[in-house]
Amino acid sequence: MFAIIPGLLTGFSLIIAIGAQNAFVIRQGLTKKYVLLTVLICAFSDALLIILGASGLGALIKSNAKVLEFVRWFGVTYLLWFAFKSARSVFSKEVLNSAGEASPNRKSVILTVLGLTFLNPHVYLDTVILLGSISNQFGSDKWFFVSGAAVASFIWFTAIGFGAKSASRFMSRPIFWKVLDSIIAIIMLSIATFLALYSFS
């Protein structure tokens, strides 16, 4: 418990802030399409990254500046594209309602979630490098810390995904979707800007 509880609390503190993953999970939940699939991919991906960070991947990434720079600019490009896509939908004449789809099919949902997870360097900063570094402070108990952090991811993504699904009936007005897509575009643009200006040294 000495390591599990700090892991749980640290995990929550890093993922509760609305980021690229969270924004997409909420939007997907509101459309009631592939919610469980989206939640599971996000949660298992986070758990995998936390495990890899605790296993030493964080230190390896941190020591390889060229890899970090490549991932950074690839992620910035992807996030800017997603921001443009969200902004474009704000001005689209088509209206998305709670019975619609945030993505056209299962494959698109899977690729989008994996892209927002593994092509976003911010995820590596928080999940792999930071959580990996903290977990190693617990010595032989580090895997209990990792377990706590992973559980936090499962709880959080389940809560926002199915919470949004339950609330979708109250958010069916067209203006809501335009506001939501505007917020998502701003979030993606902000993260891309942060990553472009962030100093890894």
Side-chain angles (χ1 to χ4, degrees), residues 162-185:
F162 287 95
K165 182 178 180 180
S166 299
S168 62
R169 58 185 172 181
F170 304 112
M171 302 173 181
S172 59
R173 296 181 63 184
I175 187 63
F176 170 78
W177 291 98
K178 292 185 180 295
V179 171
L180 178 64
D181 279 324
S182 297
I183 293 172
I184 290 175

Side-chain angles (χ1 to χ4, degrees), residues 24-39:
F24 184 77
V25 173
I26 290 171
R27 194 176 193 277
Q28 204 63 45
L30 289 171
T31 63
K32 303 180 181 179
K33 297 292 183 178
Y34 308 115
V35 182
L36 178 60
L37 177 65
T38 303
V39 167

Side-chain angles (χ1 to χ4, degrees), residues 124-166:
Y124 291 92
L125 288 174
D126 284 349
T127 310
V128 179
I129 296 176
L130 184 55
L131 278 178
S133 298
I134 296 175
S135 69
N136 286 310
Q137 306 304 311
F138 288 85
S140 59
D141 290 331
K142 74 176 181 180
W143 296 113
F144 289 102
F145 177 90
V146 167
S147 299
V151 167
S153 291
F154 276 92
I155 292 174
W156 176 249
F157 287 121
T158 300
I160 63 173
F162 287 95
K165 182 178 180 180
S166 299

Side-chain angles (χ1 to χ4, degrees), residues 78-91:
Y78 182 80
L79 289 169
L80 287 175
W81 172 81
F82 203 98
F84 169 76
K85 183 181 175 184
S86 298
R88 186 178 59 183
S89 68
V90 174
F91 301 100

Side-chain angles (χ1 to χ4, degrees), residues 28-82:
Q28 204 63 45
L30 289 171
T31 63
K32 303 180 181 179
K33 297 292 183 178
Y34 308 115
V35 182
L36 178 60
L37 177 65
T38 303
V39 167
L40 289 177
I41 293 175
C42 286
F44 276 110
S45 295
D46 263 21
L48 174 62
L49 289 170
I50 294 169
I51 291 170
L52 291 175
S55 300
L57 180 62
L60 181 62
I61 292 176
K62 213 171 179 181
S63 65
N64 197 324
K66 289 184 178 180
V67 172
L68 206 54
E69 283 300 306
F70 174 79
V71 174
R72 178 220 292 264
W73 292 110
F74 198 90
V76 167
T77 302
Y78 182 80
L79 289 169
L80 287 175
W81 172 81
F82 203 98

